[in-house]
Amino acid sequence: MRPVAIVAAGMTRFGELWQSSLRDLFVEAASEALANARASRLDAIFVGNMAAGQFVGQEHLGPLCADHLGMAGVAATRIESACASGGAALRAAFAEVASGMSDLVLAAGVEKMTDGAEATAVLATAADQEAEGYQGITFPGLYAMIARAHMAAHGTTEQDLAAVTVKNHRHGALNEKAQFGRTVELAEVMTSTMVADPLRLLHCSPVSDGACAVLLCPLDQARKYTDRPVKIRGSGMATSSMALADRKDPAWLDAVHESAVRAYAMAGVEPRDIQVAEVHDCFSIAEICCIEALGLVERGLGARAAPSGETALGGRIPVNTSGGLKAKGHPVGATGIAQAIEIFEQLRGDAGKRQVKGARIGLCQNMGGSGASSVVHILERA
Ligand code: COA
């Protein structure tokens, strides 16, 4: 395998972007990435997208995106793994460059969720339809069951869940691309509208539009495009049972754990080497479970991390410095690339008020469904 670097990134603002179509969003993010690298050609494009067919009636995104970028003719494929589509697109691009198949590859992600489709129903198609969907369960409901399981097993409280939201909104308020640029207080979270007990409105990531793109090439060619490349040191992907009821312990995300074990092994690093992490906080409980499964905190102790300040900017291991899915927004197919961009900027020292001082190694983890798929990447300043 050839060592691979990320050399440039582009990203739209996240939010309800009614003035832009799906293709507009993709072109904005991809053009910015190409311009930042002063690149005018590509060998391949991978577009992460969960459900454009259901959200906006558009399938066949590979050629659509290449065409509207002015690059019809380039190899282009859509990659789908529900909310982990962006992470899976990054992994496909990494493999394409590492294998020697291509030299300059765009890994992108895009989702347009606010054009009128019934978002909750569309998202629910990423659950097991026969075991879960047909019974009427939605994602807030599935994660509420994970939260109840975690509370029963580890004594996690509603206050612990709320502390994750408060932290991520505090980080998001420092991110001009975030959907919610405001801080929230603990009491506001704990009295917000109940969505699926114990998860309230302010425990949920929002419904969002947005697109992101990063440019990958072999590490030994990276200086053509930037003086500060970031190396992809490890990539791991894993799956678990689709249905939550089939897991031995619903509070333990085994696909997240296994994808991390694989990424750490490829990178030759341990959880204690990670200095900044973006993890999949689609609901506040998800961040708690993910940091445990990634080994960033001990199993069962995830709920203590946000209240103690351990995962805040300035803490032992800052998590979701971008604001996470909660505050930055969650255009599902774009999220995995947005996470990689936050770590890319952190490792280059470009994260402004969100900068983790001296960060050299970072991790991003992107999850599909209720944890049925997970992708982890470990990045290092080159
Ligand atoms: N966090 C903070 N504020 C939110 C929010 C969220 N998650 N979702 C909506 N809001 C705000 C809106 O900005 C709006 O504020 P305004 O009145 O000041 O404009 C207000 O709450 C009402 O918004 P609305 O769009 O009517 O909310 P909703 O009730 O339709 O949706 C949720 C709220 C929580 C149900 C929706 O955001 C949701 O389904 N989130 C989960 C998405 C999901 O499952 N993703 C996949 C994960 S696996």
Side-chain angles (χ1 to χ4, degrees), residues 83 120 123 139 143 180 201-202 204-207 282-283 326 330:
C83 301
T120 302
L123 291 166
F139 274 104
Y143 277 92
F180 299 119
L201 178 80
L202 289 172
C204 305
S205 59
V207 170
C282 50
F283 298 92
K326 173 66 210 74
H330 184 25

Side-chain angles (χ1 to χ4, degrees), residues 62-110:
L64 179 94
C65 290
D67 185 14
H68 285 273
L69 191 59
M71 299 224 180
V74 162
T77 316
R78 167 189 174 173
I79 303 281
E80 188 273 317
S81 189
C83 301
S85 299
L90 178 60
R91 182 172 157 83
F94 169 67
E96 175 99 359
V97 176
S99 69
M101 184 91 91
S102 294
D103 279 345
L104 195 56
V105 176
L106 191 78
V110 62

Side-chain angles (χ1 to χ4, degrees), residues 20-345:
S20 304
S21 68
L22 179 137
R23 66 188 68 181
D24 295 338
L25 293 171
F26 168 81
V27 169
E28 183 184 331
S31 305
E32 189 186 329
L34 287 165
N36 285 341
R38 293 180 305 280
S40 54
R41 57 159 211 97
L42 285 172
D43 295 325
I45 300 172
F46 291 95
V47 191
N49 174 266
M50 175 184 156
Q54 297 184 76
F55 281 125
V56 293
Q58 179 69 62
E59 307 284 12
H60 211 181
L61 294 195
L64 179 94
C65 290
D67 185 14
H68 285 273
L69 191 59
M71 299 224 180
V74 162
T77 316
R78 167 189 174 173
I79 303 281
E80 188 273 317
S81 189
C83 301
S85 299
L90 178 60
R91 182 172 157 83
F94 169 67
E96 175 99 359
V97 176
S99 69
M101 184 91 91
S102 294
D103 279 345
L104 195 56
V105 176
L106 191 78
V110 62
E111 207 78 54
K112 186 82 180 86
M113 301 172 73
T114 70
D115 272 7
E118 181 39 69
T120 302
V122 173
L123 291 166
T125 61
D128 183 322
Q129 285 309 291
E130 292 184 14
E132 297 171 329
Y134 298 161
Q135 323 305 323
I137 192 87
T138 60
F139 274 104
L142 286 165
Y143 277 92
M145 289 195 275
I146 293 177
R148 282 286 171 219
H150 206 278
M151 288 168 150
H154 307 298
T156 299
T157 65
E158 289 189 33
Q159 197 146 338
D160 295 331
L161 299 176
V164 174
T165 297
V166 170
K167 167 182 74 73
N168 289 349
H169 269 262
R170 201 172 289 151
H171 292 170
L174 305 174
N175 183 352
E176 60 185 21
K177 297 278 174 78
Q179 182 159 353
F180 299 119
R182 71 181 183 99
T183 56
V184 294
E185 298 304 323
L186 206 64
E188 186 184 352
V189 181
M190 294 188 68
T191 53
S192 61
T193 306
M194 187 62 84
V195 174
D197 193 0
L199 300 181
R200 297 171 180 275
L201 178 80
L202 289 172
H203 293 135
C204 305
S205 59
V207 170
S208 320
D209 305 325
C212 301
V214 289
L215 202 58
L216 276 64
C217 74
L219 185 59
D220 62 8
Q221 297 177 26
R223 303 280 167 183
K224 283 199 267 184
Y225 305 106
T226 179
D227 56 355
R228 287 171 301 147
V230 167
K231 183 180 172 189
I232 301 181
R233 235 176 112 157
S235 175
M237 184 170 191
T239 56
S240 179
S241 62
M242 276 287 274
L244 194 55
D246 290 336
R247 305 216 187 120
K248 242 189 268 164
D249 176 359
W252 176 247
L253 297 172
D254 48 357
V256 177
H257 179 68
E258 196 50 49
S259 58
V261 166
R262 292 171 188 170
Y264 288 135
M266 185 187 286
V269 302
E270 309 266 338
R272 65 166 177 269
D273 298 317
I274 303 300
Q275 295 161 308
V276 56
E278 287 286 298
V279 313
H280 198 98
D281 61 323
C282 50
F283 298 92
S284 48
I285 184 62
E287 176 170 312
I288 290 171
C289 295
C290 286
I291 58 175
E292 290 182 10
L294 293 166
L296 300 177
V297 299
E298 231 175 274
R299 185 169 180 169
L301 298 186
R304 310 248 178 96
S308 70
E310 213 183 343
T311 45
L313 267 168
R316 178 181 67 82
I317 166 71
V319 170
N320 286 330
T321 53
S322 68
L325 285 53
K326 173 66 210 74
K328 181 175 77 246
H330 184 25
V332 286
T335 281
I337 303 292
Q339 294 176 317
I341 291 177
E342 177 69 11
I343 299 300
F344 176 71
E345 292 185 347

